[in-house]
Amino acid sequence: MRLVFAGTPETALPSLRALLDSPRHEVAAVVTRPDAQSGRGRKVHPSPVAQLAEESGIEVLKPAKAGDPEFLDRLRAIGPDCCPVVAYGALLPQAALDIPAQGWINLHFSVLPAWRGAAPVQHAVLHGDDVSGASTFRIVKELDAGPVFGVLTEPIRSGDTSGTLLARLAEAGAGLLLATLDGVEDGTLEARPQPADGVSLAPKITVEDARIDWAAPAMRVDRLIRACAPAPGAWAEFRGQRVKIGPVRLAPDADELAPGEIAATRKSVLVGTGTHPVELGEVQPQGKRQMAAAEWGRGVRFTEGETLV
């Protein structure tokens, strides 16, 4: 099939590479978000998908909105049979959905209808799910509600962050997306409506959502920190400044501490929660590099009773 691929971040790259390598499909162009500031210098860079497409000699479309008339005209001129989508990051109007004969087929990182929305992997980790996965479905106007072509599942490991889990799903999902497009082209794959039961929503996790509530149970603190890694990064305040907190280790046998209270040795930093302390792994003080928590503790010289809030 003649394809126009829509995607933006690194998560989309395994799927784009799989389609570029497929002898059955032609990627005629990619659609991605406009160039944006990134990195410490806040310089403007093209998206990872744009960079790979340019390296591969493929036309890159960067509409400010997917409903822009110029973009729709160009998409019609390219004439895709189907538009596969992985983490594009913008809403698609009906005028765009109507252009390819086989529609827009999205690779979504959950087992639908669970975790519809922008942050399915983060919510799966945050809520303590045992299993995550990926689904391919035809995009319709309602958010992530279209009929499903295929599903895969992936166990969530005890130490998984959103980043590690998403990396595995992106690789496995690339194969699922390719198999879906093959089946659509053959006419051997039929999309099935999602069940009405089991719908859950996964809205974007904001920086404010990522603030740690040390009065919560230790397991909840651990899940929040892992769900927010690498972005937006879980955080707390210490001496009036933000400190990003990396993955922690549950420490149920440590001496009791009040929620947020810090106890430090030369080798570890413990913080109290609503149940039992956790040992900090890595921290990133505001304006400084990421470092081991013990190194941070040796540098700041805690006073008795100091807290993270």
Side-chain angles (χ1 to χ4, degrees), residues 148-221:
V148 172
F149 289 101
V151 171
L152 63 82
T153 59
E154 173 68 27
I156 300 178
R157 302 168 188 170
S158 60
D160 264 332
T161 64
S162 291
T164 59
L165 176 57
L166 184 56
R168 296 202 305 277
L169 290 175
E171 292 292 340
L176 174 63
L177 180 61
L178 182 58
T180 297
L181 295 173
D182 288 348
V184 168
E185 183 181 40
D186 292 341
T188 58
L189 192 60
E190 182 179 349
R192 298 182 179 274
Q194 295 184 33
D197 296 332
V199 175
S200 52
L201 301 180
K204 180 181 178 179
I205 294 180
T206 67
V207 171
E208 193 55 41
D209 294 332
R211 184 168 190 166
I212 300 168
D213 176 11
W214 297 106
M219 188 169 291
R220 173 72 180 181
V221 171

Side-chain angles (χ1 to χ4, degrees), residues 46-278:
S47 73
V49 163
Q51 293 180 54
L52 177 56
E54 289 166 357
E55 291 167 3
S56 304
I58 296 171
E59 180 179 357
V60 180
L61 307 175
K62 303 177 183 179
K65 294 183 179 180
D68 290 348
E70 297 84 357
F71 166 69
L72 296 176
D73 288 344
R74 182 58 191 146
L75 190 61
R76 292 187 190 98
I78 294 170
D81 299 306
C82 184
C83 294
V85 183
V86 184
Y88 171 47
L91 295 176
L92 296 165
Q94 192 63 47
L97 297 180
D98 291 341
I99 291 174
Q102 298 291 353
W104 296 65
I105 296 178
N106 190 39
L107 173 65
H108 181 76
F109 297 112
S110 80
V111 179
L112 291 170
W115 303 129
R116 295 177 179 176
V121 174
Q122 289 171 312
H123 281 273
V125 174
L126 178 62
H127 289 82
D129 292 358
D130 294 323
V131 176
S132 183
S135 307
T136 49
F137 70 95
R138 179 171 283 117
I139 295 178
V140 296
K141 187 174 182 180
E142 186 181 351
L143 179 66
D144 297 338
V148 172
F149 289 101
V151 171
L152 63 82
T153 59
E154 173 68 27
I156 300 178
R157 302 168 188 170
S158 60
D160 264 332
T161 64
S162 291
T164 59
L165 176 57
L166 184 56
R168 296 202 305 277
L169 290 175
E171 292 292 340
L176 174 63
L177 180 61
L178 182 58
T180 297
L181 295 173
D182 288 348
V184 168
E185 183 181 40
D186 292 341
T188 58
L189 192 60
E190 182 179 349
R192 298 182 179 274
Q194 295 184 33
D197 296 332
V199 175
S200 52
L201 301 180
K204 180 181 178 179
I205 294 180
T206 67
V207 171
E208 193 55 41
D209 294 332
R211 184 168 190 166
I212 300 168
D213 176 11
W214 297 106
M219 188 169 291
R220 173 72 180 181
V221 171
D222 169 56
R223 289 174 180 168
L224 174 69
I225 292 170
R226 290 188 292 112
C228 294
W235 62 278
E237 283 192 2
F238 178 72
R239 296 178 184 173
Q241 292 191 322
R242 287 190 181 187
V243 178
K244 283 191 175 182
I245 308 295
V248 299
R249 183 180 68 85
L250 302 181
D253 298 327
D255 293 339
E256 187 173 338
L257 295 169
E261 183 181 359
I262 301 169
T265 68
R266 288 191 60 81
K267 294 185 177 180
S268 67
V269 176
L270 298 175
V271 182
T273 72
T275 51
H276 52 261
V278 294

